[in-house]
Amino acid sequence: MLTENTHFKIIYSAFPRIGDKLQTLWGNPEFGHYMNTLLRDTRDGARKGFPVNVFFALDALAEDHYQAFPALRPRTDVWAEESGDLLQTQHKLR
């Protein structure tokens, strides 16, 4: 359960509103987008930022989410599937 997660507890204790939103999005594809908006400055430098412990807890919680829901992990190599298919095709032609 998310409320028992150590990283979540750190976030929730410092920012309950963010914790509530994370609970709502846990297990949903929108979770990753929300985390990106938290971890990256989307306010042209006007964002104050998080305390270091909360920042690291957010980053770790994102990884916890992708461990729990691997199908929701964003693809980091957009060519991986296509290049793998190409290699298989080349191998068959030999």
Side-chain angles (χ1 to χ4, degrees), residues 20-31 34 65:
D20 289 339
K21 182 79 170 182
L22 291 170
Q23 279 185 291
T24 300
L25 296 176
W26 188 256
N28 292 299
E30 297 84 14
F31 182 90
Y34 182 64
H65 183 261

Side-chain angles (χ1 to χ4, degrees), residues 21-67:
K21 182 79 170 182
L22 291 170
Q23 279 185 291
T24 300
L25 296 176
W26 188 256
N28 292 299
E30 297 84 14
F31 182 90
H33 175 72
Y34 182 64
M35 290 299 279
N36 283 336
T37 65
L38 292 174
L39 294 171
R40 289 169 180 71
D41 183 8
T42 57
R43 299 179 186 173
D44 296 324
R47 175 168 275 172
K48 180 180 176 185
F50 292 105
V52 173
N53 68 323
V54 174
F55 177 82
F56 284 124
L58 284 164
D59 187 56
L61 187 66
E63 184 57 32
D64 292 345
H65 183 261
Y66 297 129
Q67 290 291 322

